[in-house]
Amino acid sequence: MATAAVADPPGTVPSPSPLPPAPTAPPIPAELEAVLKRMRFPYLRRAAPDVLATARSQRWDPAEVVRILLEEEIKGRDDATRRNHRKQAQLPSGKTFDSWREEDSSIPAPTLHALMTLEWVSRAENLACAGPSGTGKSHLAEALANKAIDEGMKVSWFTLESLTAHLGRATVDNTVSKAVAKITRSDLIIVDDIGMLPSGQAAAEAFYRVIDAAYERRSVIVTSNLHPSGFDSIMPKTLATAAVDRLLHHAHVVLTEGSSLRLTQATTGQGVVPLHQPG
């Protein structure tokens, strides 16, 4: 017995028919696949089936096909480079300018916007950011570091303690010069939170070595609760004076002020997600 079709109730909008699956582009010929593998064009190879299928259906000019395929390869390589640079930089918390609140910062907006252009990095100029704890110094440094990576630059991030430990390990096998040279291959070097802990001879030497090697060649950002002119109060005077002399010669000095943003958020309950209260 035939089954009668069930009609939709009166006034009901019929359900739309499901869309057919998008056609899969045919694979590229095996010979071309082999050539692209040998040429190490992974992103072009991945895009080629769809691009070539579209080119055939829309009768693209051959030069346009080549341009689009090469642009896919360039974009893929640039994205991979940024991922690698971000991984190698070992930035601490992922802060960017997306979470920066100008209204909470004591840094003048014109100064901030000028720093964000990163033109000063191309001139191998430095940035010294000093002020009380919690006033946005590290956030600024990390946001600038992320922006530099987005623009294809290499970044190295240290605290003074981690820099001291890094070069201390190199001292053991007499590779300090190589370690410093590797650090200064970065376009931008950050040394964060100087002055939070007392610094001895080893820290002063590590700081001086990097500042001296980067002088007029690479940009350095330092953040501290002290103005750099006061670094001789936390590390041996001779090394501190020599390092600060080179650091500040071509430096933009930004002073932050105000109460701690972290403490303000903590006291107003903004530092945590509210706990769920069981009913």
Side-chain angles (χ1 to χ4, degrees), residues 38-270:
R38 184 172 180 182
M39 295 296 293
R40 297 182 181 178
F41 286 166
Y43 308 103
L44 188 157
R45 180 161 52 90
R46 186 184 306 162
D50 288 331
V51 172
L52 293 177
T54 303
R56 280 192 293 268
S57 66
Q58 298 185 7
R59 298 182 179 180
W60 286 358
D61 182 83
E64 181 70 3
V65 179
V66 173
R67 182 187 67 80
I68 290 175
L69 286 172
L70 290 177
E71 284 183 350
E72 287 292 327
E73 183 66 27
I74 291 170
K75 180 180 181 300
R77 292 187 183 193
D78 286 347
D79 289 345
T81 296
R82 281 190 286 270
R83 287 193 299 271
N84 289 336
H85 284 178
R86 188 162 279 111
K87 181 178 179 180
Q88 292 167 4
Q90 297 184 321
L91 303 181
S93 59
K95 287 186 171 66
T96 68
F97 284 113
D98 289 339
S99 57
W100 181 267
R101 293 168 57 90
E102 283 194 23
E103 63 272 20
D104 292 336
S105 173
S106 61
I107 300 173
T111 299
L112 177 66
H113 297 159
L115 291 172
M116 289 173 66
T117 67
L118 299 178
E119 292 177 359
W120 53 281
V121 177
S122 67
R123 298 190 295 265
E125 296 171 353
N126 303 323
L127 171 63
C129 189
S133 179
T135 52
K137 304 182 301 297
S138 296
H139 189 156
L140 174 64
E142 189 172 2
L144 288 169
N146 269 306
K147 196 168 192 306
I149 291 171
D150 287 340
E151 296 193 12
M153 301 181 193
K154 291 187 68 175
V155 172
S156 290
W157 179 284
F158 298 95
T159 62
L160 184 56
E161 289 71 34
S162 68
L163 177 63
T164 305
H166 181 71
L167 294 189
R169 289 190 293 271
T171 302
V172 174
D173 55 6
N174 199 30
T175 58
V176 174
S177 296
K178 289 183 179 179
V180 171
K182 183 176 180 180
I183 292 170
T184 53
R185 282 199 289 270
S186 295
D187 302 286
L188 179 61
I189 303 159
I190 297 100
V191 185
D192 187 37
D193 270 348
I194 297 174
M196 296 304 293
L197 295 171
S199 304
Q201 182 73 19
E205 288 183 8
F207 184 59
Y208 171 77
R209 284 180 184 276
V210 170
I211 297 300
D212 182 55
Y215 178 60
E216 295 187 333
R217 295 179 54 244
R218 295 290 186 265
S219 288
V220 178
I221 296 176
V222 298
T223 73
S224 177
N225 59 325
L226 299 171
H227 189 284
S229 61
F231 284 1
D232 59 0
S233 66
I234 59 167
M235 59 179 70
K237 184 177 180 64
T238 301
L239 286 170
T241 300
V244 170
D245 179 67
R246 289 161 175 76
L247 172 70
L248 294 184
H249 184 201
H250 305 296
H252 304 276
V253 179
V254 173
L255 304 179
T256 61
E257 57 187 24
S259 57
S260 169
L261 298 176
R262 288 188 290 265
L263 185 58
T264 299
Q265 290 179 350
T267 56
T268 56
Q270 301 175 50

